Amino acid sequence: MLSDNIKDIKGIGTKYEKILNEKSINTLEDLIRLTPKGYNVYKLCNVLDIEDDINVTIKGMLISSIGLISRMKACVFSIESNNQKIKVVGFGMDYLRFRLKKGEEYTFFGLFRPKERTLYLKEIFFEDFKEFIEPIYPIKISNKVLQKIILDIFKKEKPILKDILPEDIRLKYNLMDYNSYLYKSHFPSSEDDIYKTAHRRMYETYLLYNIRLESLRYYYDTYRKEPKVFDYNKVLELIRGLQFRLTDDQMNAVSVILSEMREPHPLNRLIQGDVGSGKTIVAFIALYANYLAGFMGAMMVPSEVLSYQHYIKALDLFEGLGLRVELLNSSIKAKKRREILTDLANNKIDILIGTQSLFSLDVNYSNLGLVVIDEQHRFGVMQRQALINKGIHTDSLFLTATPIPRTLGISRFADLDITSIEAKPENRHDVMTKVIRCTDLEFICKAIYKNVSKGHQVFVVVPLIEESVDDDLYTIDKALQELTPHLEGVRFETLHGSMKNKDLVMERFKNHEFDVLVSTTVIEVGIDIRNATLMVIYNADRFGLSTLHQLRGRVGRNDLISGCILASNKDNDRLSIMETTYDCFKLSELDLKMRGAGDILGVSQSGFIKDSIISDIDTFNMAKEDAHRLYLDYLNGNKSDIVRSIIENENEINKLN
């Protein structure tokens, strides 16, 4: 039976059982519902047809001896494929020295980089090769082993599961029925099967999401809260006491928020604005008004570093006003945490700032009136709701420096009202951006020395903490080894997400105890070092436009001329865009246009079927319309299975995370 425990399946021992249980896979049914995250398509191709860095399957003849990179246990050799000489690098495959013979032909699968004429080998076939498709599972068990176990379940149980999609919707969009979808997800026989399963999965995901948004919108439209009453003049006093003048956009945002806090229905607003546009101060003003009304406020951010920074800013802003501000994250000692939780439950804390710790089960708010969620896109729907549900009809304010493209804004955030802060604070300059090669060490060192010699500070960002199999990728150590010999007297420090003393490092950087911070993207969001005037990003091609723009926004947060160096060993159109475009709203639109449907499909092969995939926006909007109709039917008494699965079944709701 499908309800049987996975430990009873042949081939699953204690080790695999533990791995599956960690993914909440406990029964046979759970296992066959496991969705592959993509596919390896082992289909022979001609290297002359490949234009992008993708996984390919090619036949080739060994035409060279086999070299060895001992520290990587990697072998290097050349093959001839379609009359083209191709370099092959096989990390962890030093055994091939004893298996391959010069002049013999083999089939190779791996990442091919056409500009380098190099194949990074992942798999090799020594015997006769037949084309096939392999699912890639989001779990640490061999794809082949897992696929065989799932095939045995299908053969033995012949599962027939209920389809929550209404038949009229399946027919309308030519979607596979659920049981066919399940089987073909695990055992696609063609690229068309991959397309059809992706089409069904994408639509169903969007439909479930939009039904949830319909439910949230209905909640905010129909539920009532106690209107907040506060002294508006005291809020104005706080604003007048700032050391800078708010922009018109900021004042408009404050006005809208305070007005809606006074309404009898919950505030539910997204504030979107460029990095450094002043969203945080708007949120602090709202929290102050909430305090004046007699309520407690909470501010949730995605990282400990940012939570500490906001905490320090709040202490400074509210000094002498009688507010008690506390910080809660995983670094807080147990004794201090117990004190905070006790005082929180007894209404002795006015504003609590922290990470996901804010919605832990043991965190209880006595009178929560306003929740602010910074960089809201980094939290799932249910994570955000978990914090909001800590209060009763709580006001909600969301902040993001990753603007929603206008073509998606109405669709994806149907449950939110949106306010934009587009104007920059006075005397802010665009961060001049230049794309160079990672190998242009002289340019990078001169730029760092020039800024440091003026008494300013520098961020250097790398994609990795530790060495990887890809020699091209920079790590913290690799950046230090290259830079420090050429920058005598310049003080360096490092930072990454695994460190325990991140707050201390940032405090020392803020106090200018060192000049250059070499870091991973842990500093991407919200970090405010006013004296930093240069950002250097290694392997910039590895990051999306929004991440690059966020990182660039860590400098130029004053009236000083600042710069950003995007170092990459690859030609990349996205990087060229960063040289000429500084507006986050324009970048969000360009990012949407540049994203291919292959990102949605997750097919690890040539991408030739990419153009036939229905677009993200179109599918989302279709699902949105259907969700609205189904939810209205639900309210009118027609309780369809899919709406009931969202509204009435908590397990299904959790899948939205």
Side-chain angles (χ1 to χ4, degrees), residues 270-306:
L270 171 70
I271 304 296
Q272 60 177 14
D274 215 334
V275 287
S277 62
K279 300 177 296 295
T280 304
I281 188 61
V282 170
F284 281 157
I285 292 169
L287 286 165
Y288 182 59
N290 179 72
Y291 157 75
L292 292 175
F295 290 88
M296 184 182 296
M299 187 177 201
M300 182 166 71
V301 300
S303 72
E304 289 191 9
V305 172
L306 186 55

Side-chain angles (χ1 to χ4, degrees), residues 59-123:
K59 278 189 178 296
M61 178 188 296
L62 181 64
I63 60 173
S64 75
S65 58
I66 299 176
L68 182 66
I69 306 174
S70 57
R71 64 189 175 89
M72 292 283 193
K73 293 185 177 180
C75 57
V76 182
F77 53 90
S78 296
I79 63 171
E80 184 180 288
S81 179
N82 299 111
N83 297 317
Q84 301 294 309
K85 183 179 178 181
I86 304 296
K87 178 183 176 182
V88 179
V89 180
F91 292 105
M93 296 184 176
D94 52 336
Y95 68 90
L96 291 178
R97 290 179 297 161
F98 311 108
R99 292 291 306 273
L100 302 183
K101 294 182 179 180
K102 195 172 181 179
E104 294 288 322
E105 189 175 64
Y106 305 93
T107 303
F108 303 89
F109 175 79
L111 175 65
F112 182 61
R113 292 179 172 166
K115 291 180 180 178
E116 301 174 11
R117 312 301 294 169
T118 301
L119 178 77
Y120 292 90
L121 189 62
K122 295 182 178 179
E123 200 166 352

Side-chain angles (χ1 to χ4, degrees), residues 330-353:
S330 59
S331 295
I332 299 297
K333 302 295 184 183
K335 182 179 178 181
K336 178 64 175 176
R337 177 184 171 83
R338 287 193 297 271
E339 176 191 322
I340 290 173
L341 296 188
T342 299
D343 289 350
L344 196 66
N346 292 322
N347 203 22
K348 293 181 179 180
I349 295 174
D350 302 303
I351 297 176
L352 184 64
I353 297 173

